Amino acid sequence: MLGLVVLAPPALGTRFVLSQQHDAVIGREGFCDLVLMKRTVSRKHARVFFDGKRYQLEDMGSAHGTFLNGSRVTRAVPLKDGDRINVVDVPIMFRELDEAVGPDTSQSHLGLTQRLRDLTPLPGTSVPMAYSGRLRNLLEITRRLGSGLVVDDIFPRVLDLLVDMFPQAVVGEILLADAQEQLNPVAIKHGRDDDSSIITRVLVGDSLARQVFQSGQPQLKSVEGGSNESVLDVSGSNSICVPILGPSHDRLGTILLETDDDHRVFTNDDVELIASIGIVTGQAVEYARAHEAKLRMDQTQRQLDTARQIQMRMLPRKKPKVPGYVFESHYAPADSVGGDFYFWDSMPDGRVAMGIADACGKSLPAALLMAQFAVEVRHCLATAETLKLAMASLNQFVCSVEEGFITFLLCLLDVKTNLLTVVNAGHPPALCRWHDSGNVEPLSADKASLPLGVRPQEIFHPFHALMRPGDEVFLLTDGVTEAMAPNSSLYGPERLNAQIAASQPNLSARVQAIVEDLARFRGNRRPSDDCCLLGVAREVA
């Protein structure tokens, strides 16, 4: 006995016994002899009939075609045992049926369908997923997402799991919002066998996705035949779209699934489940982003630690050993690296050069600028004929870099004459504690100069001060006087002058007392700027 066997959903396993007395109509509507509940199948799609000699297959003007062994049917064509019929994409075999379905049964003579499995739900209904089954699916997704630490790997994994959970889904799209809240694809399936990590396809569900993203609420949408709002190019569809929400309910993107199967439409229960998955996905995304941010921070910290080591090597390792003089220093960057710099060098003629500089800004950019400046300082001092020319050359260098300005205080100490020559480029003035009076006074030129890098034609004016036995000179950056207390008050020059004027046994004790007083003043507040302090004292005979 010849008949038809359906080889795929929505009627997988169905056998239909053909009758020579009755035509067998295949279609979507319930009055058909072989019912295929699928949107792409026309109401009356095709028929199989007996012409007196053999069975014939004829398309009944369907929208999407009937095929026999891969060729489209355009007129009635004869069938032979083993032929493969495709009603759109539903394969059906024409073949001899076993005796289990015989000609003497009433069903075969009436041309009714006999099923090898339970009846599936009617159109518009869906078998509710058992609570335990939903919970298992959600736990499995949570487990898999919890093992993902790379943001780009999360979304294809989620989409693959969703398509596995919902066999009726034939389209899936996951979109992620950028900083401008524009939705961009991160995983796409336009067919169950698609690779979800390939995102070069044209988006087809972005309109519904934008609505859901803006509202932050899931939507279940059924589109009837003839509407152009469907994701699928079929006579109707059923779509579900939910937002991806972060732990703080921030909208991160959307998840969209669509089916063309009337037999298994999405329901409100599915909305609830997929919305939960959207929340779990959002948490996984935020966790992965936090992990990536920590990795970047760790990498940045390692780079900063390396930069700090390099910067510390640029600073003097030893104090000058000059008969009759002592030198002290303190350096503390606000961050891992800073924009302050100091040096002292012994010149070929026996003089001691020492200086202190502060680049605009803090952290790595300021440190990089200062690293270039440190090399240039030593070059200019070694090659320039006068201090004025050395400053002019340094000014041209900083102007050419075009990365900000540098305040710079440079001193040359002639240990034979005890004459200190000072030139200042916009830096806080040196402070001198006169031994005889105990007074603290700034060492300032009659005419101030701008910082290096502000004006290429700037002229710098050196001046002189005689250091007598017991006199002490201090060079500092504004990180000292502008240190901030917890109540945001400034340390200030008055408090610094008081510390310098206080009685101390030697220069080292005085510098240490200033550093400790700064720490007490700041309390638990982090330094807001780099702090650098140099001191030179002429010993009392």
Side-chain angles (χ1 to χ4, degrees):
M1 180 62 65
L2 290 169
L4 303 174
V5 180
V6 183
L7 303 178
L12 174 64
T14 298
R15 295 188 179 192
F16 181 85
V17 179
L18 293 170
S19 170
Q20 295 182 1
Q21 288 75 36
H22 301 282
D23 294 353
V25 178
I26 304 170
R28 190 175 75 237
E29 294 294 345
F31 57 73
C32 294
D33 299 287
L34 181 56
V35 180
L36 301 177
M37 305 295 291
K38 195 169 185 180
R39 287 283 189 177
T40 51
V41 177
S42 297
R43 297 177 63 195
K44 294 173 66 176
H45 198 104
R47 71 179 181 126
V48 177
F49 63 95
F50 190 74
D51 66 357
K53 296 182 179 179
R54 52 190 171 181
Y55 284 99
Q56 301 263 355
L57 172 66
E58 182 181 33
D59 184 82
M60 302 181 72
S62 66
H64 298 283
T66 305
F67 302 83
L68 178 62
N69 298 324
S71 299
R72 186 158 188 160
V73 175
T74 57
R75 55 182 177 81
V77 291
L79 293 171
K80 61 180 183 299
D81 188 20
D83 278 348
R84 184 185 180 96
I85 303 167
N86 274 77
V87 176
V88 192
D89 57 353
V90 180
I92 302 172
M93 181 168 285
F94 175 78
R95 56 167 292 181
E96 283 282 350
L97 299 180
D98 55 33
E99 293 302 321
V101 182
D104 55 345
T105 64
S106 59
Q107 287 184 332
S108 69
H109 286 292
L110 292 174
L112 299 179
T113 300
Q114 295 183 348
R115 302 188 182 278
L116 299 182
R117 57 187 177 87
D118 293 336
L119 291 174
T120 53
L122 294 174
T125 65
S126 177
V127 178
M129 188 182 297
Y131 176 79
S132 59
R134 293 177 63 192
L135 181 60
R136 281 197 303 272
N137 286 329
L138 188 57
L139 289 175
E140 176 64 14
I141 287 180
T142 303
R143 183 187 69 80
R144 295 196 188 184
L145 290 180
S147 64
L149 294 177
V150 180
V151 173
D152 292 342
D153 293 345
I154 290 176
F155 303 106
R157 185 178 303 184
V158 170
L159 191 54
D160 289 341
L161 287 168
L162 285 171
V163 171
D164 287 344
M165 288 174 59
F166 296 96
Q168 70 268 44
V170 292
V171 166
E173 294 179 349
I174 299 182
L175 310 181
L176 188 66
D178 58 20
Q180 290 74 39
E181 294 194 345
Q182 296 297 314
L183 293 174
N184 302 298
V186 289
I188 297 177
K189 272 185 177 293
H190 288 175
R192 296 186 58 82
D193 296 330
D194 278 359
D195 184 346
S196 56
S197 63
I198 298 175
I199 57 174
T200 56
R201 304 175 185 88
V202 177
L203 285 179
V204 290
D206 55 338
S207 177
L208 178 58
R210 282 195 299 270
Q211 295 175 25
V212 169
F213 180 77
Q214 292 298 328
S215 67
Q217 299 296 322
Q219 287 193 34
L220 177 62
K221 189 171 186 180
S222 294
V223 180
E224 297 302 327
S227 171
N228 59 3
E229 296 181 10
S230 173
V231 172
L232 296 166
D233 185 21
V234 298
S235 58
S237 63
N238 176 237
S239 306
I240 189 169
C241 188
V242 303
I244 299 173
L245 300 176
S248 302
H249 297 285
D250 296 330
R251 291 166 295 152
L252 305 178
T254 60
I255 299 174
L256 178 141
L257 296 178
E258 185 159 342
T259 180
D260 65 346
D261 189 350
D262 265 350
H263 198 58
R264 291 175 293 182
V265 297
F266 293 118
T267 68
N268 289 328
D269 287 340
D270 298 331
V271 173
E272 182 181 353
L273 175 60
I274 300 177
S276 300
I277 294 171
I279 293 174
V280 174
T281 302
Q283 292 173 341
V285 170
E286 291 292 276
Y287 179 76
R289 284 177 173 174
H291 176 72
E292 291 178 356
K294 185 179 184 301
L295 292 179
R296 290 193 298 269
M297 187 179 297
D298 291 344
Q299 182 180 21
T300 300
Q301 187 58 50
R302 287 193 297 270
Q303 293 172 345
L304 289 174
D305 290 342
T306 301
R308 178 179 173 83
Q309 295 174 12
I310 295 172
Q311 186 177 37
M312 296 306 292
R313 293 193 190 107
M314 292 166 47
L315 301 177
R317 298 186 182 183
K318 297 180 180 179
K319 303 170 187 176
K321 293 183 178 180
V322 179
Y325 284 89
V326 292
F327 299 85
E328 288 294 338
S329 66
H330 168 76
Y331 176 72
D335 297 310
S336 297
V337 292
D340 287 2
F341 166 72
Y342 77 91
F343 77 100
W344 38 46
D345 281 328
S346 296
M347 307 293 287
D349 58 5
R351 291 181 298 172
V352 177
M354 58 182 180
I356 190 168
D358 186 0
C360 64
K362 295 182 286 293
S363 194
L364 196 56
L368 292 174
L369 175 59
M370 197 55 74
Q372 300 175 72
F373 179 72
V375 175
E376 196 68 19
V377 166
R378 290 182 169 88
H379 171 73
C380 290
L381 288 178
T383 57
E385 295 181 359
T386 65
L387 199 57
K388 200 175 223 182
L389 290 175
M391 291 294 291
S393 180
L394 287 171
N395 185 46
Q396 292 296 325
F397 167 75
V398 180
C399 286
S400 67
V401 173
E402 296 182 349
E403 292 189 10
F405 62 85
I406 295 176
T407 65
F408 185 42
L409 178 62
L410 176 62
C411 300
L412 280 179
L413 175 62
D414 190 332
V415 297
K416 296 177 182 177
T417 63
N418 301 308
L419 191 66
L420 185 69
T421 303
V422 182
V423 61
N424 192 337
H427 198 83
L431 299 176
C432 183
R433 181 184 187 276
W434 304 113
H435 177 69
D436 292 342
S437 64
N439 294 335
V440 178
E441 297 178 356
L443 299 179
S444 302
D446 295 335
K447 187 174 182 181
S449 299
L450 294 173
L452 303 174
V454 174
R455 193 167 73 100
Q457 299 80 23
E458 184 67 13
I459 298 175
F460 304 93
H461 308 280
F463 61 95
H464 307 283
L466 182 65
M467 292 193 66
R468 297 179 177 85
D471 289 346
E472 298 174 354
V473 174
F474 296 89
L475 284 65
L476 60 135
T477 59
D478 57 11
V480 177
T481 55
E482 295 179 3
M484 299 182 73
N487 63 359
S488 298
S489 60
L490 298 180
Y491 189 77
E494 293 80 9
R495 182 161 179 161
L496 175 62
N497 290 348
Q499 284 294 320
I500 294 176
S503 177
Q504 295 290 349
N506 51 47
L507 179 66
S508 177
R510 197 178 310 283
V511 170
Q512 184 61 32
I514 294 172
V515 172
E516 291 174 356
D517 190 54
L518 277 168
R520 285 193 299 271
F521 180 79
R522 279 196 300 262
N524 58 1
R525 181 163 187 159
R526 291 184 70 253
S528 57
D529 199 359
D530 307 327
C531 180
C532 187
L533 177 66
L534 300 184
V536 55
R538 183 179 175 187
E539 294 179 319
V540 178

